[in-house]
Amino acid sequence: MAPMNKRELARAVAVQSDVELKTVVTVLDGFTDVVTAVVAKGEPVAITGFAKFVKVDRKARMGRNPATGEAIRIKASKKARITPVKAFKDAVLAPATAPKLSKGVFPTDNAAVTAAGKSSAPAAASKAPAKKAPARKAPARRATARKAPAKKATRSRRTARR
């Protein structure tokens, strides 16, 4: 299973929070810029329930060359450290405590991404739930259709090797 990339994360957040994809991408870019700049200056950033971002100064120390066993001097350095907080670790270790996602969030459905952010329009507010219900049923059908070709491709690779 491949890790979720930035584009997939933005699509999932757009569906979960019912915000337009373009807005979510802008917010994610702003988030990474601000966190990077603040931590680069040496200030920690803590997001309650998620993670803590810190710049760590490591002192010079003596170490050993694993190949020869010879003592060597390791220079002082600066590192970035991201530490998950207890609530995040608990949710990962016990998935029952993790937040529940809306339908179409993961795996992300194209119809759900397109519909994200549209229901908050004042003129369409009364009609939005009626339009949104069919879009939420579609992810289950499309998600299964996406998985089937991937399995066939995997099988054909196996048979090609034999």
Side-chain angles (χ1 to χ4, degrees), residues 45-134:
V45 175
I47 302 173
T48 307
F50 182 62
K52 183 176 179 181
F53 303 82
V54 183
K55 180 179 182 180
V56 179
D57 293 324
R58 299 187 73 186
K59 296 179 183 176
R61 61 194 187 280
M62 293 302 292
R64 296 221 174 260
N65 181 338
T68 62
E70 178 186 356
I72 57 171
R73 179 171 168 76
I74 300 171
K75 295 185 212 176
S77 63
K78 295 179 182 181
K79 303 288 181 192
R81 181 178 295 158
I82 302 171
T83 309
V85 296
K86 186 178 182 332
F88 178 78
K89 288 191 269 188
D90 290 345
V92 170
L93 296 175
T97 62
K100 303 298 178 208
L101 299 176
S102 301
K103 290 183 181 178
V105 173
F106 187 79
T108 309
D109 176 46
N110 291 334
V113 173
T114 307
K118 307 272 193 234
S119 64
S120 61
S126 61
K127 295 182 180 181
K131 289 181 181 179
K132 204 169 191 179

